[in-house]
């Protein structure tokens, strides 16, 4: 796979989903350090799809007036892309299950096939990345972390 800038891809996803979040009166933010680039070896279209699924889930399940943040950061030699919301969250006991195709939690009344997380994880895994679900840092909601090894931007023989 080519070396792409994960920040640029994430920024495009943020732009794509801003109108949807606005339509639900959600506060959707895109945060990254100025001048940050995160070179990773992946397919831009697949990464975009993986992130889009996570962002779309957050918008769909968080309800009106919630806050959703897509962020990018460099952590040691890793690229970290995070989608965090202050919606209902997913209990610990269900976090592995939601990665199964077509899994939907029992009290889920929103339309959709429940495929988003499975697809995101498969796409990330194809390029050595991983998707992890955690509690959101502000105490409620969900934090989905997508992590990749950074690629070397160095010389032609890299």
């Amino acid at each position: 796979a080519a070396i792409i800038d994960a920040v640029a891809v994430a920024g495009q996803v943020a732009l794509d989903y801003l109108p949807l979040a606005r339509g639900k009166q959600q506060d959707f933010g895109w945060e990254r350090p100025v001048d940050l680039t995160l070179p990773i070896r992946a397919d831009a279209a697949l990464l975009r799809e993986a992130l889009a699924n996570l962002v779309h889930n957050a918008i769909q399940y968080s309800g009106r007036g919630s806050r959703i943040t897509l962020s990018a950061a460099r952590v040691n030699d890793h690229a970290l892309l995070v989608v965090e919301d202050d919606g209902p969250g997913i209990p610990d006991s269900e976090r592995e299950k939601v990665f199964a195709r077509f899994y939907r939690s029992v009290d889920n009344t929103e339309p959709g096939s429940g495929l988003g997380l499975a697809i995101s994880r498969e796409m990330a895994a194809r390029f050595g990345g991983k998707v992890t679900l955690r509690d959101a840092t502000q105490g409620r909601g969900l934090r989905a972390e997508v992590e990749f090894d950074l690629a070397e931007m160095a010389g032609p023989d890299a």
Side-chain angles (χ1 to χ4, degrees), residues 55-140:
V55 170
H56 187 257
N57 274 359
I59 291 172
Q60 183 138 329
Y61 297 119
S62 295
R64 285 188 180 278
S66 52
R67 285 181 60 96
I68 298 161
T69 306
L70 172 60
S71 62
R74 181 182 182 136
V75 181
N76 302 322
D77 53 353
H78 290 97
L80 185 64
L81 302 166
V82 178
V83 180
E84 189 161 333
D85 66 60
D86 59 1
I90 297 175
D92 263 348
S93 58
E94 290 199 16
R95 283 190 194 156
E96 268 314 301
K97 293 184 207 157
V98 295
F99 283 109
R101 284 176 174 273
F102 305 114
Y103 176 80
R104 308 190 51 172
S105 68
V106 272
D107 52 3
N108 178 356
T109 53
E110 291 286 334
S113 66
L115 266 182
L117 287 164
I119 291 172
S120 293
R121 174 173 268 187
E122 283 166 25
M123 288 180 176
R126 193 176 303 181
F127 302 106
K130 58 182 186 181
V131 178
T132 311
L133 300 180
R134 306 182 191 281
D135 288 324
T137 45
Q138 70 269 36
R140 59 170 277 148

